[in-house]
């Protein structure tokens, strides 16, 4: 009994201590990597656009997502190496585990095809910069149904997390994504269709809309959101009692809805000042989605 206890104490003071130090070191190193990754992403967000999650540069979005993936990969690698070192200190023959590990890997490969598909899809999402942290997206998944709409909060190799307008977090496996509508990529376009009576002077309406666009581009509050002066495209559609005149404006990503609402107000006031009867221009489905997302974020 005494010899067994002595052997145990000798093992604990030797290899056992090494095992404890390896486990402790791997945990501390993984936490340090996670902390460092968090600091880097916070710095990227702080330098992007002063805290506006919807108007980050595409490079900043990509760097944010890439930093998260690198952090996650480094943590997994640290724990994997630690497991091998612990097994070696415990006297488990690593080479003898190659054949069982191969069989187990094949079995897991067949059983985890969906996970592998998710990881591969996440890899292409990040490398191709399809979307990133802070983008406003509508994600359609396999099987149809309502798309997941909201602001992207996290993109990893396996899943994408989206915050909806109700404040709910929707987690979508990357391998199940079949279509993504990115509403805040590079630049956006505000589209305003103005319905006017069919008997109205369309040329006069076009001139009024052009003046509205020029005034909007000169407005100090609206000018930073516009990339160029709004333009009038002309008659978009014809109806029995009214025609639709379209006006478009290129804006910063994610700001097309705010600009569209402001232009509608200016258009209604301008046309009424000219004595023209006009009904409020319709709001698009995408704009309604973004409006609810914004209201949810403000709440």
């Amino acid at each position: 009994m005494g010899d067994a206890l002595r052997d145990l104490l000798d093992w604990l003071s030797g290899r056992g201590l090494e095992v404890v130090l390896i486990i402790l070191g791997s945990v501390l190193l993984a936490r340090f990597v996670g902390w460092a990754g968090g600091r880097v992403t916070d710095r990227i967000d702080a330098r992007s656009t002063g805290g506006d999650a919807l108007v980050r540069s595409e490079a900043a979005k990509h760097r944010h997502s890439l930093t998260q993936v690198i952090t996650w990969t480094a943590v997994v690698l640290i724990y994997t190496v630690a497991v091998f070192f612990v097994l070696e200190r415990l006297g488990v023959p690593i080479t003898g585990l190659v054949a069982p590990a191969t069989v187990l890997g094949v079995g897991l490969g067949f059983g985890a095809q969906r996970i592998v598909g998710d990881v591969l899809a996440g890899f292409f999402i990040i490398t191709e910069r399809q979307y990133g942290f802070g983008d406003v997206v509508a994600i359609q998944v396999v099987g149809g149904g309502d798309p997941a709409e909201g602001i992207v909060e996290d993109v990893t190799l396996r899943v994408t997390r989206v915050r909806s307008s109700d404040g709910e977090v929707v987690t979508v496996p990357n391998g199940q994504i079949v279509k993504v509508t990115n509403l805040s990529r590079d630049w956006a376009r505000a589209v305003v269709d103005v319905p006017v009576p069919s008997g109205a002077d369309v040329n006069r309406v076009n001139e009024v809309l052009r003046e509205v666009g020029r005034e909007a581009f000169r407005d100090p509050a609206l000018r930073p959101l516009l990339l160029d002066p709004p333009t009038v495209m002309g008659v978009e559609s014809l109806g029995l009692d009214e025609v639709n005149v379209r006006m478009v404006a290129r804006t910063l990503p994610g700001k097309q809805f705010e600009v569209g609402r402001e232009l509608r107000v200016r258009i209604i006031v301008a046309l009424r000042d000219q004595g023209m009867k006009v009904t409020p221009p319709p709001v698009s489905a995408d704009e309604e989605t973004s409006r609810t997302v914004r209201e949810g974020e403000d709440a």
Side-chain angles (χ1 to χ4, degrees):
M1 183 66 179
D3 293 338
L5 181 59
R6 188 179 301 109
D7 293 339
L8 178 61
L9 292 176
D10 291 340
W11 183 86
L12 290 177
S13 61
R15 289 178 177 251
L17 181 59
E18 292 179 359
V19 170
V20 173
L21 291 177
I22 290 173
I23 295 175
L24 182 61
S26 62
V27 171
L28 293 177
L29 184 58
R31 293 202 171 188
F32 173 76
V33 170
W35 173 82
R39 290 293 301 271
V40 171
T41 54
D42 291 342
R43 184 170 297 181
I44 291 172
D45 294 341
R47 289 182 177 180
S48 55
T49 54
D52 192 339
L54 291 179
V55 192
R56 292 182 174 89
S57 69
E58 295 304 317
K61 295 174 186 177
H62 181 66
R63 287 195 296 267
H64 184 109
S65 301
L66 193 60
T67 301
Q68 289 181 323
V69 171
I70 292 175
T71 302
W72 178 81
T73 304
V75 170
V76 172
L77 183 61
I78 289 170
Y79 283 129
T80 302
V81 173
V83 168
F84 279 104
F85 276 117
V86 169
L87 291 176
E88 182 182 358
R89 295 302 186 277
L90 293 177
V92 178
I94 304 299
T95 56
L97 297 177
V98 173
T102 303
V103 177
L104 180 62
V106 173
L108 290 177
F110 283 109
Q113 292 181 11
R114 178 169 294 181
I115 296 178
V116 174
D118 293 341
V119 171
L120 288 176
F123 172 78
F124 286 112
I125 287 174
I126 294 172
T127 55
E128 294 175 358
R129 304 188 183 189
Q130 298 178 15
Y131 56 83
F133 176 79
D135 277 330
V136 180
V137 298
I139 300 177
Q140 188 71 47
V141 298
V142 175
D146 296 332
E149 300 173 340
I151 299 176
V152 176
E153 286 197 340
D154 192 15
V155 183
T156 68
L157 286 178
R158 200 182 73 81
V159 299
T160 296
R161 292 185 178 89
V162 177
R163 176 78 63 174
S164 70
S165 59
D166 297 327
E168 301 170 342
V169 176
V170 182
T171 302
V172 182
N174 293 329
Q176 302 298 306
I177 297 175
V178 295
K179 178 183 177 182
V180 177
T181 303
N182 193 330
L183 304 178
S184 55
R185 178 68 182 269
D186 295 331
W187 57 272
R189 175 174 288 162
V191 180
V192 180
D193 288 332
V194 183
V196 296
S198 56
D201 186 350
V202 177
N203 292 329
R204 178 58 182 161
V205 172
N206 289 340
E207 185 58 36
V208 172
L209 295 183
R210 292 190 185 96
E211 181 60 30
V212 170
R214 288 190 288 264
E215 291 180 357
F217 196 67
R218 292 193 297 264
D219 189 337
L222 203 57
R223 174 67 180 85
L225 307 181
L226 293 167
L227 299 181
D228 44 37
T231 58
V232 179
M233 306 298 293
V235 176
E236 176 65 21
S237 62
L238 298 172
L240 294 177
D241 300 323
E242 64 182 20
V243 297
N244 286 317
V245 181
R246 174 162 293 183
M247 185 180 192
V248 298
R250 284 204 317 147
T251 72
L252 292 177
K255 295 300 183 180
Q256 67 269 35
F257 312 109
E258 181 179 343
V259 171
R261 289 191 292 269
E262 179 64 25
L263 288 177
R264 288 183 178 90
V265 173
R266 293 170 179 263
I267 289 170
I268 291 175
V269 173
L271 291 179
R272 285 179 178 174
D273 289 344
Q274 296 295 322
M276 301 180 185
K277 183 180 178 182
V278 59
T279 57
V283 179
S284 65
D286 288 341
E287 180 164 351
E288 182 65 23
T289 297
S290 177
R291 183 183 64 80
T292 55
V293 168
R294 289 294 190 87
E295 290 175 353
E297 287 294 307
D298 295 339

